[in-house]
Amino acid sequence: MRRLRPPFPPRPARRAPRLRTALAVTALLAAVPVTAAPAAAGAAPQARPAFAPATPGDVLAFLDRIGGSATVTGQHNKEPNSWPSQYTAQVHETTGRYPGLWGGDFLFAQADVENRQTMTDQAVTEWTNGSLTTLTWHVCPPTRGSSCGWDAGTGVMDRLSDAQWQELITEGTALNRAWLARLDEAVPYLRQLADAGVPVLFRPLHEMNEAWAWWGGRPGPDGSSALYRITHDHLAGTRALDNLIWVWNVKDVQGGAGQVAEYYPGDAYVDVVSLDAWMNHFPPTAYYDALRGLAGDKPLALAEVGRIPGPAELAAQPEWTYFMVWSEHLRDPAFNTPERIRATYEDERSLSQGQFGLDG
């Protein structure tokens, strides 16, 4: 059991969410089937209407309202992209509820790259059914093609040399152009979501304070945060994708709470401050406080967890506005049991699909 910290001083008033342009309903939204959650024993009544098209400002205002009092339940769905709802369905099998947040991934393997449209269609379906959407991208380095392997020497876990990194973050170089072209591979899918009125909690270059992936482990203004800024400016600026909610993300590495600020790209580039909690299952107080200090008036989130947070943990650190359980860990007995999952989903502070609307 971790020790509970003393009460934290009241947070300052939050800024109003940034103004975003309204998004129109398109044929894509009309074409995606809406599958209502079937009734199940113990399931919460689906009283809320499905989500209408919305803006990032709507989602941020909602997260702002619940910060400190409620947490949205979430579930990631990774390989294969041909089946982007499998773990969400397992949550329903266990609890009788669907998560309030659905997570997808653009991924890197050829078969998953080929099924990005299937994943995008699922994102629209989940939003229409009343769940927030978040997207991650285990992206291949710009030194490789659009699809790649996982291990070092084959793809995602490659390590770029310092010279390659400097080229990557220098405008107009070959590697810089290759990175922008890599980002453009996701633009058609993100634009479909924009046209459908689906705001996306977008978490690029995640866990950047650890060096397991090619983009991570480089502190300072010319490090991993520089690539994040380039990514933001290209997608939000050059490509004018105004449906993205920018989720900055670090991991709870050993002794690293005091170093997370070295990876922060700046307030203008961040909408949500998030942590992946793996080292201790649930964040140590030092990480919670460090991220609160960086976030200021921005929402906090647990972007990845292996073990679902328990009700007492969420009550002790109430600023986490959502959590996302990582795919196969949902039913890994080393992390979770059905009883633990149900306890969290049935807790009064937890918000699952059908239990909330963006207007309150």
Side-chain angles (χ1 to χ4, degrees):
M1 293 291 290
R2 64 178 188 85
R3 291 185 301 172
L4 301 182
R5 60 166 180 80
F8 202 86
R11 60 179 178 174
R14 298 182 187 259
R15 289 192 300 267
R18 300 176 195 163
L19 181 62
R20 311 280 182 153
T21 56
L23 301 172
V25 186
T26 68
L28 176 64
L29 182 58
V32 176
V34 178
T35 54
Q46 302 295 300
R48 291 281 186 179
F51 285 172
T55 70
D58 295 328
V59 173
L60 288 170
F62 165 72
L63 295 178
D64 181 77
R65 284 194 298 273
I66 68 170
S69 61
T71 303
V72 177
T73 61
Q75 180 63 46
H76 189 56
N77 294 265
K78 61 181 183 71
E79 298 103 332
N81 259 348
S82 59
W83 190 10
S85 61
Q86 62 167 318
Y87 296 105
T88 291
Q90 290 178 19
V91 170
H92 186 265
E93 291 170 5
T94 301
T95 67
R97 294 168 166 83
Y98 287 105
L101 174 138
W102 171 89
D105 201 319
F106 283 111
L107 291 171
F108 56 93
Q110 183 62 38
D112 294 313
V113 170
E114 292 173 353
N115 277 286
R116 284 174 177 168
Q117 185 61 57
T118 303
M119 184 271 294
T120 303
D121 292 343
Q122 188 66 38
V124 177
T125 295
E126 296 288 346
W127 172 266
T128 305
N129 286 349
S131 291
L132 304 179
T133 63
T134 183
L135 290 177
T136 302
W137 191 358
H138 288 87
V139 62
C140 298
T143 51
R144 296 189 181 274
S146 301
S147 62
C148 62
W150 174 262
D151 295 331
T154 70
V156 175
M157 295 182 72
D158 282 355
R159 190 67 180 168
L160 272 60
S161 69
D162 290 346
Q164 287 176 314
W165 185 267
Q166 191 59 45
E167 180 183 348
L168 173 63
I169 64 171
T170 300
E171 184 177 0
T173 64
L175 275 182
N176 179 264
R177 292 194 303 270
W179 176 242
L180 301 184
R182 179 59 39 78
L183 294 175
D184 283 344
E185 294 170 9
V187 168
Y189 307 105
L190 295 172
R191 200 172 302 286
Q192 287 180 49
L193 296 171
D195 291 342
V198 179
V200 177
L201 289 152
F202 185 53
R203 186 176 64 121
L205 308 173
H206 61 293
E207 298 183 357
M208 67 170 61
N209 62 325
E210 192 172 46
W212 64 266
W214 66 265
W215 61 78
R218 294 180 181 269
D222 292 330
S224 301
S225 64
L227 189 61
Y228 180 103
R229 288 190 292 272
I230 291 168
T231 300
H232 176 283
D233 289 346
H234 184 69
L235 295 178
T238 304
R239 298 302 179 225
L241 288 164
D242 59 2
N243 66 318
L244 302 181
I245 302 164
W246 289 84
V247 180
W248 175 74
N249 179 249
V250 289
K251 184 180 177 183
D252 61 341
V253 298
Q254 184 68 42
Q259 300 172 357
V260 294
E262 297 180 41
Y263 292 86
Y264 191 65
D267 286 345
Y269 293 89
V270 177
D271 295 315
V272 176
V273 169
S274 72
L275 179 71
D276 291 359
W278 289 100
M279 184 176 65
N280 295 300
H281 291 309
F282 192 73
T285 299
Y287 265 99
Y288 183 60
D289 292 349
L291 265 67
R292 289 191 73 186
L294 274 178
D297 57 6
K298 300 177 188 294
L300 290 181
L302 289 170
E304 287 183 27
V305 294
R307 191 188 70 177
I308 192 169
E313 291 172 325
L314 292 174
Q317 295 185 5
E319 292 290 334
W320 303 119
T321 57
Y322 64 83
F323 65 78
M324 185 176 75
V325 176
W326 194 250
S327 298
E328 68 274 13
H329 287 77
L330 177 71
R331 286 184 166 176
D332 183 342
F335 288 83
N336 296 300
T337 64
E339 293 75 20
R340 181 179 182 86
I341 297 166
R342 283 193 288 268
T344 295
Y345 269 80
E346 293 170 4
D347 184 59
E348 62 181 6
R349 73 171 291 116
S350 295
L351 298 176
S352 299
Q353 187 184 101
Q355 294 181 307
F356 65 97
L358 297 183
D359 57 348

